[in-house]
Amino acid sequence: QQQVKQSPQSLIVQKGGISIINCAYENTAFDYFPWYQQFPGKGPALLIAIRPDVSEKKEGRFTISFNKSAKQFSLHIMDSQPGDSATYFCAAQPSGSRLTFGEGTQLTVNP
Amino acid sequence: NAGVMQNPRHLVRRRGQEARLRCSPVKGHSHVYWYRQLPEEGLKFMVYLQKENIIDESGMPKERFSAEFPKEGPSILRIQQVVRGDSAAYFCASSPEMNTEAFFGQGTRLTVV
């Protein structure tokens, strides 16, 4: 019930393309859904987050789409750049508890 | 505006020694979380603390591992009698309240030789 399933495990995209990473969850108590970006040797950095009262949130080239009925959410990176190459983690958190992370997606954007 | 500070960044211990990892949260944050990350793997929850209290330690091994977040000073994750399998990156995160943005430190990379 605490699991968050993330796919794909790895993703290769051409520069300028759209990167899409998907996550699914079971626990309906989750009410906060952030995405983190991690570069090698660094800590995860908060990228964008959404709460279930909205279906989409956009910040620059990054968009979260949220489907409450399907218990799924996804990260879209528009106009992907080589500098976006990193590992991306989705996460989910119920009120009063801690973040549960997906297994991560290693994104490579080719020039 | 300092973020989450973890030290040391790298720590080498021989099997059987103790490892102490420190985490200073963002100023004003009273919630601290510890996660462990093995190479090429995700972040596994260990323990969630609020000032002077352990809220959730369900991810922390019952033996050899302990954590504290005293009223004054940093949070400490302590691993006694380290074994090779403890080698990993340990990340600390802090947030001002529950269910708000959590910010991570740069991690402590523990190597047990």
Side-chain angles (χ1 to χ4, degrees):
Chain A
Q1 274 257 315
Q2 286 287 68
Q3 276 190 327
V4 178
K5 294 184 180 179
Q6 184 172 345
S7 63
Q9 194 172 10
S10 62
L11 179 62
I12 300 174
V13 173
Q14 290 300 117
K15 179 182 174 182
I18 302 174
S19 304
I20 302 174
I21 305 170
N22 301 300
C23 284
Y25 63 96
E26 289 294 325
N27 188 350
T28 55
F30 287 145
D31 63 2
Y32 175 64
F33 302 88
W35 285 88
Y36 284 83
Q37 179 189 56
Q38 186 179 30
F39 293 103
K42 303 292 186 183
L46 180 64
L47 200 57
I48 186 172
I50 198 168
R51 295 193 186 271
D53 52 345
V54 296
S55 60
E56 186 174 283
K57 183 174 181 181
K58 185 176 180 179
E59 287 184 2
R61 296 184 294 109
F62 301 93
T63 300
I64 299 179
S65 296
F66 186 80
N67 186 329
K68 189 174 181 178
S69 60
K71 290 185 279 188
Q72 294 174 348
F73 58 110
S74 60
L75 175 70
H76 295 232
I77 306 174
M78 313 299 287
D79 188 26
S80 299
Q81 299 296 312
D84 296 331
S85 297
T87 301
Y88 292 81
F89 293 97
C90 64
Q93 184 177 28
S95 180
S97 189
R98 37 74 171 189
L99 286 166
T100 296
F101 283 86
E103 290 302 305
T105 296
Q106 192 163 346
L107 171 66
T108 302
V109 181
N110 288 328
Chain B
N1 222 2
V4 177
M5 303 299 290
Q6 288 188 249
N7 66 82
R9 290 292 310 277
H10 300 274
L11 182 61
V12 179
R13 284 287 177 266
R14 295 187 184 279
R15 279 180 294 171
Q17 290 185 321
E18 178 181 287
R20 280 190 178 231
L21 287 61
R22 294 174 191 78
C23 169
S24 295
V26 173
K27 190 176 180 181
H29 286 194
S30 59
H31 298 254
V32 165
Y33 312 81
W34 285 92
Y35 287 81
R36 177 162 64 177
Q37 186 176 39
L38 293 169
E40 309 299 323
E41 292 192 9
L43 294 141
K44 303 301 181 189
F45 169 76
M46 297 184 73
V47 61
Y48 165 27
L49 309 105
Q50 198 178 353
K51 280 286 187 182
E52 299 184 276
N53 292 308
I54 296 175
I55 307 300
D56 180 356
E57 56 182 347
S58 59
M60 199 157 67
K62 294 282 185 282
E63 296 181 358
R64 303 189 298 109
F65 286 73
S66 62
E68 62 177 10
F69 187 19
K71 188 176 179 181
E72 301 291 337
S75 175
I76 306 285
L77 178 67
R78 183 181 176 205
I79 311 172
Q80 293 180 292
Q81 300 175 334
V82 296
V83 301
R84 287 235 170 97
D86 297 332
S87 295
Y90 292 82
F91 290 98
C92 165
S94 75
S95 65
E97 298 169 2
M98 288 187 290
N99 278 74
T100 56
E101 294 176 340
F103 297 93
F104 280 80
Q106 295 299 300
T108 293
R109 278 146 189 87
L110 172 66
T111 302
V112 179
V113 297

